[in-house]
Amino acid sequence: MKKNIHFFSAHQAISDQTILNNIGIRGRRAMELGASDLPILPGFIIDSEVASVLEDIPLKDELKKAMARIEKIVGKKYGDPDNPMLVKVVISPNLVIVHYPTLHNFGLTEGNLPAFNKYVGENFGYHEMQFLMKGCFEIEARIAELENKDKRLQEIKEAIKALSKELDDDRVETPARKKSIEKYQSLLPKGFFSDPYGQLEIIIKRISTMLRLDEMDDSDTAILIQPMVYGNYGKDSSSGMFFTRDIVTGKKVLSGKYFQEKFNELGASGKDINSIQKIYLDKLVKIAQNIEDHFREIRSIRFTIEDKRLWLIDQRGVMNKSTQADIQLLLDLLKRKVIDKEYAVKQIKPNQLGEILHPIIDLSSTKALKQITGGIAGAPGAAIGQIFFDTEELLDAYKKAQQSGEDTRFILVMEATFAEDVKAIEVATGVLSSEGGYAAHASVVARQYGKVSLVKTKMKIRGKQATVDGVLLKQGDYITLNVPYYGDPSIYLGKAALIEPDPESSGLLEFIKIVDEFTGNFGVRANADTPRDTTLARIFGAEGIGLCRTEHMFFDEKRINVFREMVISDTEKERRAALNKLRPMQRADFYKLFKIMEGYEVTIRLLDAPLHEFLPHNPDEMKKFITYLRGQPGSIKISEAEIRARCDTLGEFNPMLGHRGCRIAVSYPEIYEMQMRAIFEAVYALQKEGYKIKPEIMIPLIMNENELKMLIYGKKIEGASVKGLIDIEREVRETLKVKPVHYKIGTMIELPVAALGAGEIAKYAEFFSFGTNDLTQTTIGLSRDDFNTFMPDYTQFDLLEGNPFKYLNTYVKELIATAVRRGTMTRPKLKKGLCGEHGAVPENIKFCMQTGLDYVSCSSYSVPIAKLAVAHIQLGEE
């Protein structure tokens, strides 16, 4: 028996793995703390080798020997009639899922109860005796159940129910508690409250009986005995609970409360833990750091001060801490060399970073707000605003709010958004839509601008109101969107409070610098087409721009009507006149992007969107366009009817597979010519200023090598000719009389035919960029804007594996792998990247790395997530 009892205390613990395997989870936790410099209460463990066979073994002598060691440390004696030390008995299984009753206050007898009451108060003393009885009855109930003693079980359950009711009600007075004890005492062995060691022996043996009868626990469960201390044991006592640091900000300051002369926090009014007496605060700060250093994480700590002695009662992990707090802890541990950089990088999951990059809801502010749950997460974060159902109306409201100093927070609510709605998304805090999903236009643009996007497929919009899950929302109503990375999205009716992100103070930027040391040769670029996004991308460590969508640049209100003029022009001369107005604007755009990204590749995708997308989509837009044409010197002069007719003729039945991308350049080469001139005028202006610029020109929607060859090198046929992109660059260079800048021309692989013909296309393309949004649509025949209307049915019957617009489809992957293989056979040094919305998803990034791509490109706000995913993969983490 002696070899099966294992003692622990501060600085004294067992490390023998054989013994550790036999003392259960709680026992191992006690030994782990015993090995550290912490003021833990001493105790001993009866291991699992004998715990279930103690019924016929005399225990008192061994218990007294073990208890003597505890008494020496604690300074109180077990069962003492004047100042009794009480103990708790903890059942310590190997399985964390097993639940056992709480067994406290052993050693409390009729002889020492009056003395105990002098310290804690009479009512509390009898309360603790009731608690002791309840714990014993719960063991007895389990035994009766295992022995099929129904009558005994029923009696005990009634006692448990009655005791529980009184224990939970602090209004119960002492006489009632005494009466209850007397009533149910007969269910316990005779003399249970007369001999403290007899009492302890009885409960240990009854636990042993329970373990023996329960086959699941008979060989791997131990019994732990540890003294109890009380925060209400006189004026020099208190209890408390705190976190080792602030669980929201990560600031290294204790966060919690203490309760003077209180056993615990129940029904007590606490004080800030940092206001406790300095002698105790200094000890608690040291305990907090020791525990963080040991467990390498933020922990919650319960402590008790009994008669001026501080004891650590319990410590455990924290579920509701923020990612920012985790990062601050890791940076602190790293600075003090408790951990290394690799460990720090591995501890944060990539998608956790979304919490730092976007606002999050302060959940304490939502208690009084009605909540609508569910929906498809388009872009993560939290947003508050008044809802508007029209882009122009939202923009007008925004301007008026700015001028009058009122609330400028607005949320755009539409069935679906188009290119002309980008300007509203840019100023809004979020967008709520009903069509599409993760890869829908609203979601893509929202992620690019760091806005929040939620898709509610069953939302119905009629005029200036919407119905969501039976709730009517009217224009001007305030709502709060909550789109977390983990868990279900929700809409709160009204204004919640937000916790705004700050990448610098959160430690994110410092953390990403560490992450960069583990990303290897695989790059992460940004999808960016504004100076703001490009600057943000560099701050987050993006290694260039992988996709600049030039069509987004034309939607500025100062440009859109100029571009529309070009679109409806009837002759090349008219188009060139409009394009000449746009060229200085494009040149200024490119100048800013190249300058910010100096030294890194910047991939400019030439115009891709169908021309009809730029035309007015409502009467207000049309009216403004007509007014522009009539008031603009040198603009085309046509009637309103002719304008409307030309707009109508540009419409297409299936525009995404129609006249867009490189097909526009075949029909109207002057458009790409203008863009090329603007690009290289910006490039050579910066070269003259001493900047090192690395431009990459990307031609979209290529079907075959003939298209690419013609656009790059030009083509002459009888009666017609097309100037090549390289000829345009040469003309700019010769006009400016400057030395050439090295640049690349490549293409976006976004059609299955292009993937399969990659070997031929690579003859002319110096790089491939996989546009996986369109490649997914054209491979599996699903529209990213429409598939969510029937996707729930497919999910119900497991007909499609996951969301193909978030996670790369198996056959899309096969096409990418085929294109990489065939392309590199033709051009071994071919540069390869992925710039679809799939580029920020860790599972997709792993495929890209395994397949031989060189980089992924994603929205600026997703760059840290992608970089961390790359580092995890390089370190062998899944």
Side-chain angles (χ1 to χ4, degrees):
M1 179 68 185
K2 184 178 180 180
K3 70 181 183 66
N4 299 109
I5 295 179
H6 312 286
F7 187 80
F8 64 87
S9 66
H11 307 297
Q12 185 171 349
I14 290 167
S15 58
D16 186 314
Q17 192 58 50
T18 303
I19 294 174
L20 293 176
N21 290 339
N22 291 333
I23 60 176
I25 294 170
R26 298 290 295 271
R28 286 190 290 274
R29 187 188 298 174
M31 290 297 176
E32 189 174 20
L33 291 174
S36 60
D37 183 22
L38 297 168
I40 67 165
L41 286 156
F44 61 92
I45 303 162
I46 303 172
D47 67 36
S48 60
E49 283 189 0
V50 298
S52 61
V53 293
L54 297 173
E55 295 158 277
D56 299 322
I57 299 175
L59 300 178
K60 274 191 181 181
D61 289 344
E62 293 298 334
L63 290 176
K64 287 180 179 179
K65 290 176 185 176
M67 206 66 80
R69 297 180 69 180
I70 294 175
E71 292 168 345
K72 188 175 180 181
I73 295 170
V74 174
K76 293 165 69 177
K77 290 187 176 294
Y78 180 68
D80 185 78
D82 298 319
N83 186 15
M85 178 182 77
L86 308 184
V87 300
K88 61 183 176 183
V89 179
V90 179
I91 303 172
S92 178
N94 266 324
L95 294 175
V96 73
I97 59 171
V98 180
H99 175 71
Y100 289 106
T102 304
L103 304 170
H104 284 182
N105 308 318
F106 288 92
L108 192 58
T109 65
E110 293 168 347
N112 58 34
L113 178 60
F116 181 70
N117 290 347
K118 286 180 183 178
Y119 289 96
V120 299
E122 189 177 44
N123 191 275
F124 181 84
Y126 282 102
H127 175 282
E128 293 304 276
M129 185 169 275
Q130 284 182 304
F131 196 89
L132 184 158
M133 292 175 67
K134 176 175 171 283
C136 292
F137 288 150
E138 286 174 337
I139 296 296
E140 291 298 323
R142 182 64 180 143
I143 293 172
E145 188 177 10
L146 291 167
E147 292 180 334
N148 296 314
K149 294 182 178 179
D150 296 339
K151 184 179 178 182
R152 167 82 169 160
L153 179 60
Q154 189 59 39
E155 289 177 334
I156 293 170
K157 280 186 173 182
E158 287 178 8
I160 293 172
K161 184 178 179 181
L163 289 169
S164 297
K165 185 177 180 181
E166 291 188 1
L167 286 167
D168 293 339
D169 188 351
D170 56 10
R171 296 170 300 176
V172 177
E173 297 181 351
T174 303
R177 295 193 189 282
K178 286 182 179 180
K179 186 176 180 181
S180 180
I181 291 169
E182 291 169 2
K183 179 177 179 180
Y184 297 111
Q185 192 170 340
S186 61
L187 294 174
L188 293 169
K190 191 174 181 180
F192 186 80
F193 284 117
S194 58
D195 177 8
Y197 276 102
Q199 185 185 89
L200 184 58
E201 184 174 32
I202 287 169
I203 191 60
I204 291 173
K205 288 188 174 184
R206 294 305 281 167
I207 291 170
S208 183
T209 300
M210 181 189 72
L211 296 178
R212 175 179 59 78
L213 292 170
D214 192 338
E215 294 179 0
M216 194 173 90
D217 303 324
D218 64 350
S219 62
D220 67 349
T221 302
I223 302 171
L224 181 150
I225 290 89
Q226 196 173 20
M228 295 189 66
V229 286
Y230 297 83
N232 56 346
Y233 218 69
K235 64 178 182 178
D236 293 316
S237 302
S238 57
S239 62
M241 191 284 288
F242 64 92
F243 300 111
T244 53
R245 65 178 60 217
D246 191 299
I247 62 171
V248 175
T249 66
K251 187 177 180 182
K252 195 173 181 180
V253 58
L254 305 189
S255 175
K257 292 185 175 182
Y258 77 98
F259 308 90
Q260 189 75 38
E261 297 182 42
K262 297 290 182 181
F263 177 64
N264 56 31
E265 68 275 15
L266 296 178
S269 177
K271 298 178 182 178
D272 181 359
I273 189 68
N274 294 287
S275 66
I276 201 169
Q277 289 181 50
K278 188 176 185 304
I279 187 172
Y280 300 126
L281 182 61
D282 290 344
K283 290 179 181 179
L284 294 175
V285 168
K286 184 180 179 182
I287 289 170
Q289 179 160 307
N290 286 347
I291 285 182
E292 283 190 344
D293 289 357
H294 181 78
F295 290 98
R296 302 178 179 184
E297 67 175 17
I298 300 171
R299 309 288 282 187
S300 69
I301 295 174
R302 284 182 58 237
F303 70 94
T304 294
I305 300 170
E306 182 184 278
D307 195 22
K308 299 182 180 180
R309 292 192 68 179
L310 187 150
W311 299 99
L312 172 62
I313 303 302
D314 189 21
Q315 58 75 38
R316 57 187 62 193
V318 180
M319 296 296 293
N320 59 340
K321 60 189 187 302
S322 72
T323 300
Q324 176 174 325
D326 277 336
I327 288 177
Q328 289 288 359
L329 167 75
L330 292 169
L331 293 174
D332 177 35
L333 295 177
L334 194 58
K335 192 181 297 181
R336 294 187 290 107
K337 298 182 179 178
V338 177
I339 59 172
D340 59 21
K341 291 180 179 179
E342 181 177 332
Y343 180 89
V345 170
K346 286 181 176 180
Q347 297 316 297
I348 303 294
K349 293 183 175 65
N351 284 340
Q352 282 183 259
L353 295 183
E355 186 184 301
I356 298 182
L357 295 163
H358 303 282
I360 59 173
I361 291 281
D362 181 350
L363 292 176
S364 66
S365 69
T366 63
K367 293 176 181 177
L369 302 180
K370 184 171 182 178
Q371 182 182 15
I372 303 170
T373 58
I376 300 167
I384 300 168
Q386 290 177 274
I387 60 174
F388 275 80
F389 295 88
D390 177 82
T391 284
E392 294 303 322
E393 290 186 14
L394 187 148
L395 291 171
D396 287 344
Y398 181 79
K399 289 175 186 175
K400 289 176 183 176
Q402 275 188 316
Q403 292 167 357
S404 61
E406 295 176 355
D407 194 346
T408 56
R409 296 176 299 175
F410 298 96
I411 290 174
L412 182 64
V413 181
M414 305 184 89
E415 290 175 345
T417 62
F418 299 93
E420 66 187 35
D421 301 311
V422 170
K423 54 193 175 184
I425 297 174
E426 188 175 1
V427 302
T429 56
V431 55
L432 175 63
S433 58
S434 60
E435 295 180 8
Y438 181 80
H441 181 270
S443 302
V444 172
V445 175
R447 286 197 293 275
Q448 180 182 353
Y449 286 103
K451 308 295 182 175
V452 180
S453 170
L454 175 60
V455 182
K456 293 285 289 186
T457 56
K458 294 183 179 180
M459 177 174 68
K460 301 298 180 186
I461 298 176
R462 291 180 179 83
K464 296 182 180 180
Q465 58 186 36
T467 304
V468 185
D469 293 355
V471 178
L472 185 67
L473 303 177
K474 297 178 181 179
Q475 183 154 301
D477 288 349
Y478 271 98
I479 64 170
T480 301
L481 300 180
N482 185 30
V483 186
Y485 258 100
Y486 300 102
D488 293 330
S490 59
I491 302 170
Y492 291 97
L493 306 185
K495 293 186 281 186
L498 300 185
I499 300 171
E500 295 291 339
D502 184 344
E504 188 165 357
S505 66
S506 69
L508 175 64
L509 300 186
E510 186 179 349
F511 181 70
I512 288 300
K513 287 178 183 176
I514 298 167
V515 169
D516 273 333
E517 298 180 28
F518 298 92
T519 54
N521 296 323
F522 193 84
V524 175
R525 300 187 189 180
N527 300 339
D529 42 66
T530 66
R532 174 187 172 278
D533 287 343
T534 306
T535 301
L536 191 64
R538 279 300 302 128
I539 289 171
F540 288 151
E543 299 146 305
I545 292 178
L547 174 62
C548 170
R549 301 177 175 96
T550 55
E551 53 271 14
H552 285 182
M553 297 172 167
F554 298 120
F555 285 101
D556 182 278
E557 62 181 346
K558 295 178 182 177
R559 306 179 186 187
I560 184 62
N561 286 323
V562 182
F563 195 86
R564 286 169 175 165
E565 180 185 356
M566 185 276 297
V567 172
I568 67 165
S569 295
D570 212 25
T571 66
E572 180 181 339
K573 182 180 178 181
E574 290 176 346
R575 281 191 295 276
R576 285 189 179 276
L579 289 167
N580 283 336
K581 298 177 191 175
L582 290 168
R583 194 171 100 207
M585 303 174 189
Q586 284 262 275
R587 180 171 62 234
D589 290 335
F590 297 137
Y591 178 92
K592 293 171 185 174
L593 301 192
F594 285 132
K595 189 173 183 178
I596 295 167
M597 277 291 173
E598 183 195 9
Y600 293 98
E601 287 91 349
V602 175
T603 305
I604 306 290
R605 183 179 73 184
L606 301 179
L607 186 68
D608 181 35
L611 293 179
H612 85 95
E613 276 199 11
F614 297 91
L615 297 176
H617 280 79
N618 58 60
D620 287 343
E621 287 285 313
M622 180 62 77
K623 185 178 180 181
K624 289 180 181 179
F625 179 43
I626 292 169
T627 301
Y628 160 81
L629 287 176
R630 289 176 176 171
Q632 198 66 15
S635 295
I636 56 176
K637 305 300 180 184
I638 57 175
S639 67
E640 182 175 331
E642 179 64 15
I643 292 171
R644 294 183 186 279
R646 289 189 186 183
C647 288
D648 290 341
T649 59
L650 286 166
E652 296 180 276
F653 288 108
N654 192 352
M656 297 313 293
L657 295 178
H659 202 191
R660 57 169 283 215
C662 68
R663 299 163 190 176
I664 294 173
V666 172
S667 300
Y668 310 120
E670 56 271 16
I671 296 177
Y672 278 15
E673 180 182 337
M674 179 278 288
Q675 290 192 296
M676 280 293 286
R677 289 189 186 282
I679 289 168
F680 283 97
E681 284 169 357
V683 166
Y684 288 121
L686 285 163
Q687 183 193 53
K688 187 176 180 180
E689 295 174 25
Y691 290 94
K692 187 176 181 181
I693 307 303
K694 296 182 178 181
E696 294 183 343
I697 312 303
M698 183 157 69
I699 303 172
L701 212 71
I702 287 291
M703 284 191 296
N704 57 48
E705 73 276 14
N706 296 326
E707 290 174 311
L708 192 60
K709 180 181 178 182
M710 187 190 87
L711 292 173
I712 295 174
Y713 298 105
K715 192 167 186 175
K716 292 182 180 180
I717 59 173
E718 188 175 345
S721 66
V722 174
K723 194 178 293 184
L725 299 183
I726 61 171
D727 298 322
I728 299 164
E729 181 277 329
R730 187 176 63 250
E731 287 180 5
V732 173
R733 176 167 27 97
E734 290 175 351
T735 301
L736 296 173
K737 298 178 182 179
V738 292
K739 292 181 180 180
V741 164
H742 177 70
Y743 67 97
K744 292 179 181 178
I745 296 180
T747 187
M748 184 174 268
I749 303 293
E750 49 194 325
L751 298 172
V753 67
L756 296 172
E760 298 300 315
I761 291 173
K763 292 177 183 177
Y764 307 105
E766 295 174 275
F767 67 86
F768 285 171
S769 181
F770 291 94
T772 50
N773 289 340
D774 279 345
L775 186 58
T776 297
Q777 291 192 105
T778 53
T779 299
I780 63 178
L782 284 179
S783 164
R784 70 180 184 180
D785 295 316
D786 301 313
F787 87 107
N788 278 307
T789 58
F790 56 85
M791 198 61 193
D793 303 324
Y794 271 62
T795 302
Q796 181 181 354
F797 293 105
D798 292 326
L799 301 181
L800 196 61
E801 188 179 346
N803 180 350
F805 294 102
K806 184 171 185 180
Y807 302 101
L808 287 169
N809 174 269
T810 300
Y811 299 107
V812 173
K813 288 180 180 179
E814 188 174 340
L815 284 171
I816 294 171
T818 299
V820 169
R821 187 171 63 252
R822 293 179 181 180
T824 50
M825 285 178 67
T826 300
R827 188 184 292 269
K829 293 186 178 181
L830 181 74
K831 194 93 171 183
K832 307 164 292 294
L834 184 149
C835 66
E837 287 304 310
H838 296 88
V841 179
E843 293 86 342
N844 300 332
I845 293 172
K846 185 174 184 179
F847 162 78
C848 292
M849 296 172 72
Q850 292 173 336
T851 307
L853 271 64
D854 301 295
Y855 67 89
V856 292
S857 187
C858 52
S859 69
S860 299
Y861 285 94
S862 296
V863 166
I865 296 170
K867 290 175 83 71
L868 183 55
V870 171
H872 275 214
I873 295 163
Q874 298 284 28
L875 291 170
E877 293 285 302
E878 290 297 328

